[in-house]
Amino acid sequence: MEEGGGVKSATDARETAALESQSQSTNQSPPRLNKYALACAVLASTNSILLGYDIGVMSGAVLYIKDALKISSVKVEILVGTLNVCSLIGSFASGKTSDWIGRRYTIVLAALTFLIGALLMGLAPSFPFLMAGRVIAGIGVGSSLMIAPVYSAEVSPAMTRGFLTSLPEVFINVGILLGYIFNYAFSGLPPHINWRLMLGLAGFPAIAIAIGVMKMPESPRWLVMKGKTGEAKKVLIKTSDNEREAKERLDEITRAASLVVEDGTTSPNGSPKSELPSSNDWHGQGVWKELLRPSKPLRRILVAAIGINFFMQASGNDAVVYYTPSVFKSAGIHSRKGLVGVTVIMGIAKTSFVLVSALFLDHYGRRPLLLMGTTGMAFSLAGLGIGSTFLQRSRRKPLWAIALCVLAVCSDVSFFSIGLGPITWVYSSEIFPMRLRAQGSSLAISVNRLVSGVVSMTFLTISTKITFGGVFFVLSGIMVAATIFFYFCLPETKGKSLEEIEALFEDADKNKHKV
């Protein structure tokens, strides 16, 4: 990260290679998706189903938990938000853990932690036990949110990294849709049973995920950092189109790793003091010192990574998903089955559009889809604010206003799924230098989880003070600010290797307007 002559020449070489690869990509057919890399990314990303399922199923389960356990609206907010706040612990700790034991075993650990939490929630005899389950499940969720995109980014070829790294968000949305469907399916059961089944069933997929992840390889970049170049080469051969590409990727990773000296820091001018970490002694030491005292390029990376994670949750998307039944209840839909049914429609919209975004992310790039998504969310939330305000002030509940709210919610979550949803995970996992990637991503995603918890735990309270309509107008304004921030602070990373991306932040003024 230092700006000495060694890094400058390496930066020039990376920029030249990037321009050549971009010019070649414009004249050639779209890159072929490597099936082995796809399988690895899918296995890593399936952990995200657990978070999505919890988000979706809890939106309906709280309707029955509130009656069964006789808890107040404040306790409902705490129950919902606890998972997000505690996932801060998991995401923060998993950066160091993944540098120590590897990306793959961290994914397994996250799945097993969530399994324990899900079983506690399903069997909880009281509110304190239910809260304990949410705390443990939250730690597992936070770990999986950090590690799945990092692993997918590190195993993916540059030209298909956007699609493969966006898979965690795809699986989150699949999980949300499954949660909505199980809500609807179990809503007819007795109230003291249905919510337990809704929450407890999430434990069974966690077992299958932990077993499946053990069959996938370790991240080649982590292997290189541990001095296991031979193993890394085997993985790269399987995740590349041919041995030549695998060798080029290995050479690039090795050059990046050679900037790391034995104590985990770079030399004063950025040039290597040793070839590679020569043993298994490297486990992320020195990273936090560099993150807390960053150079100018690293500072730009931190601003971009923390900024996109902040705005992802400040958009209020998690709260909208959690509390959609409450929003539509105030809009005039009183049947519980009807409320759950509307959430199924919303889940279908979210899942459909995140698939569209994932498929086109490597073609159009990160910036265009991100800017389109936040602009669309700003208009959608403004429309939801107008509809909610009109319904709250009207004794009659006209059908057009209810339809506007339903349409605006579906539009909001759809634009989120096009932009902020998948691209946050992609961007956070690809912009940090190799040695800082795990712990840098964990820092950014910890901010994500903290903001999500704060928003989820205050959404209902704030809405009683300024109404649902007022909350949605505020969120619309936040999305306007997000659009401006992304335009000026996030350069395009499409088609560049992870080692090339660092150069984008070494000259932010030159690259910030590139699309």
Side-chain angles (χ1 to χ4, degrees):
M1 296 302 301
E2 299 293 328
E3 298 179 351
V7 170
K8 185 177 181 181
S9 60
T11 298
D12 294 339
R14 288 195 299 263
E15 289 178 336
T16 302
L19 290 172
E20 289 176 356
S21 64
Q22 284 182 342
S23 63
Q24 289 173 0
S25 65
T26 57
N27 297 322
Q28 296 176 357
S29 57
R32 185 170 62 88
L33 188 63
N34 182 279
K35 292 181 180 179
Y36 190 81
L38 173 62
C40 292
V42 167
L43 278 173
S45 303
T46 48
N47 232 11
S48 301
I49 287 180
L50 304 177
L51 169 63
Y53 180 83
D54 183 89
I55 292 173
V57 84
M58 185 56 75
S59 67
V62 291
L63 298 173
Y64 306 99
I65 291 172
K66 187 174 182 180
D67 293 340
L69 300 181
K70 309 299 181 185
I71 59 176
S72 65
S73 296
V74 173
K75 285 187 175 181
V76 168
E77 282 185 318
I78 295 172
L79 179 66
V80 169
T82 294
L83 183 133
N84 293 319
V85 171
C86 291
S87 64
L88 165 68
I89 301 171
S91 60
F92 197 75
S94 58
K96 185 72 171 179
T97 302
S98 66
D99 279 341
W100 193 290
I101 66 174
R103 312 324 192 203
R104 183 176 59 161
Y105 286 114
T106 303
I107 296 173
V108 173
L109 184 62
L112 294 178
T113 304
F114 186 90
L115 167 64
I116 296 170
L119 293 177
L120 277 176
M121 288 190 289
L123 299 173
S126 63
F127 182 71
F129 274 89
L130 186 59
M131 284 293 296
R134 295 289 285 172
V135 169
I136 296 172
I139 294 172
V141 162
S143 297
S144 65
L145 280 178
M146 192 292 294
I147 195 59
V150 168
Y151 175 86
S152 299
E154 291 188 339
V155 81
S156 304
M159 298 306 295
T160 55
R161 189 179 59 249
F163 170 71
L164 296 178
T165 313
S166 67
L167 288 177
E169 180 66 18
V170 173
F171 280 102
I172 287 174
N173 282 274
V174 170
I176 289 173
L177 180 57
L178 288 174
Y180 289 154
I181 291 172
F182 276 101
N183 274 344
Y184 191 81
F186 293 145
S187 60
L189 296 177
H192 65 285
I193 295 176
N194 55 12
W195 65 269
R196 295 182 184 278
L197 289 175
M198 292 174 185
L199 298 178
L201 281 178
F204 293 99
I207 300 173
I209 289 168
I211 294 172
V213 168
M214 289 302 298
K215 296 183 179 296
M216 70 188 197
E218 185 51 82
S219 157
R221 287 172 171 82
W222 183 82
L223 289 171
V224 170
M225 292 299 296
K226 298 291 281 187
K228 301 178 181 180
T229 310
E231 293 181 39
K233 184 178 181 180
K234 292 177 183 178
V235 177
L236 288 170
I237 289 173
K238 291 181 179 180
T239 58
S240 302
D241 288 339
N242 50 61
E243 287 199 27
R244 179 183 174 184
E245 180 187 336
K247 185 178 183 304
E248 290 173 352
R249 290 174 66 188
L250 180 62
D251 289 344
E252 194 169 33
I253 294 169
T254 303
R255 282 195 301 270
S258 69
L259 296 175
V260 183
V261 296
E262 291 180 359
D263 66 354
T265 61
T266 54
S267 59
N269 65 351
S271 60
K273 284 187 179 177
S274 63
E275 287 302 313
L276 281 174
S278 57
S279 69
N280 293 336
D281 293 338
W282 186 85
H283 44 76
Q285 62 268 37
V287 170
W288 278 106
K289 180 180 179 181
E290 211 169 327
L291 289 173
L292 295 176
R293 300 179 63 184
S295 61
K296 285 185 179 180
L298 181 54
R299 193 177 304 124
R300 296 186 186 111
I301 291 173
L302 286 168
V303 168
I306 292 174
I308 193 171
N309 277 276
F310 170 82
F311 282 115
M312 179 189 189
Q313 297 303 339
S315 69
N317 184 264
D318 278 7
V320 169
V321 173
Y322 275 127
Y323 298 117
T324 292
S326 299
V327 174
F328 285 128
K329 188 174 182 180
S330 71
I333 302 175
H334 298 292
S335 164
R336 282 191 173 177
K337 202 148 189 173
L339 291 171
V340 175
V342 171
T343 62
V344 173
I345 296 173
M346 185 178 70
I348 292 171
K350 276 181 67 66
T351 306
S352 301
F353 280 93
V354 77
L355 286 171
V356 172
S357 177
L359 291 172
F360 289 100
L361 193 53
D362 287 309
H363 180 72
Y364 291 109
R366 285 53 159 161
R367 274 172 55 91
L369 293 180
L370 187 60
L371 294 172
M372 182 176 72
T374 51
T375 302
M377 288 181 72
F379 282 106
S380 300
L381 287 164
L384 186 56
I386 293 171
S388 298
T389 301
F390 186 90
L391 286 167
Q392 188 164 22
R393 294 180 178 178
S394 174
R395 290 186 178 181
R396 293 176 135 186
K397 306 293 183 183
L399 184 60
W400 70 264
I402 295 175
L404 174 61
C405 287
V406 173
L407 181 63
V409 165
C410 290
S411 174
D412 176 54
V413 298
S414 298
F415 277 112
F416 178 86
S417 293
I418 288 173
L420 271 171
I423 295 173
T424 298
W425 309 122
V426 175
Y427 214 82
S428 301
S429 62
E430 67 184 5
I431 63 175
F432 284 98
M434 180 169 64
R435 193 172 60 80
L436 307 178
R437 184 168 299 122
Q439 296 184 56
S441 297
S442 74
L443 175 62
I445 293 170
S446 295
V447 173
N448 180 304
R449 295 291 84 203
L450 177 62
V451 177
S452 176
V454 170
V455 172
S456 298
M457 295 176 78
T458 58
F459 186 83
L460 290 180
T461 301
I462 294 175
S463 67
T464 59
K465 303 292 184 181
I466 64 173
T467 74
F468 279 123
V471 170
F472 294 132
F473 283 129
V474 170
L475 294 177
S476 177
I478 291 173
M479 286 299 93
V480 172
T483 304
I484 296 170
F485 174 83
F486 297 151
Y487 182 81
F488 287 104
C489 297
L490 271 66
E492 182 57 72
T493 58
K494 179 187 73 170
K496 299 183 183 295
S497 72
L498 296 177
E499 286 67 39
E500 291 170 343
I501 289 173
E502 183 180 349
L504 294 175
F505 293 89
E506 292 175 357
D507 189 358
D509 294 332
K510 179 180 177 181
N511 291 290
K512 66 184 178 182
H513 294 302
K514 287 183 180 179
V515 178

